[in-house]
Amino acid sequence: MSSLVDFLKGSYNEFRHKVEWPKWSDLQSSTIVVTIATVILALFTFGVDELFSKSISNIIGMLINVFN
């Protein structure tokens, strides 16, 4: 149990005194970049999904017409 307490004390000390936390302006700019990248990736994924969906629907429609 002593080693767990030592570990927690060491972790707290490291987080409190040795970790260099980012500045508020750095966090804001990183958040903006991540948000923009996420929106672009979501739009791309939506576009590819719609393209595949329409393509598969067309292929299935042609196959139904061929076999009827």
Side-chain angles (χ1 to χ4, degrees):
M1 189 68 171
S2 173
S3 62
L4 177 62
V5 172
D6 290 340
F7 172 75
L8 293 175
K9 284 181 181 179
S11 297
Y12 175 78
N13 184 39
E14 187 168 342
F15 275 116
R16 183 80 173 132
H17 301 292
K18 295 181 182 178
V19 173
E20 184 177 337
W21 298 101
K23 306 293 182 248
W24 182 247
S25 60
D26 294 337
L27 287 176
Q28 286 177 327
S29 63
S30 295
T31 300
I32 291 170
V33 168
V34 168
T35 302
I36 291 171
T38 301
V39 168
I40 290 170
L41 184 59
L43 290 172
F44 174 76
T45 303
F46 174 76
V48 170
D49 183 52
E50 284 295 312
L51 179 68
F52 283 143
S53 177
K54 290 183 189 294
S55 299
I56 290 173
S57 294
N58 288 339
I59 291 170
I60 290 174
M62 286 189 305
L63 289 174
I64 288 173
N65 288 336
V66 166
F67 291 112
N68 277 338

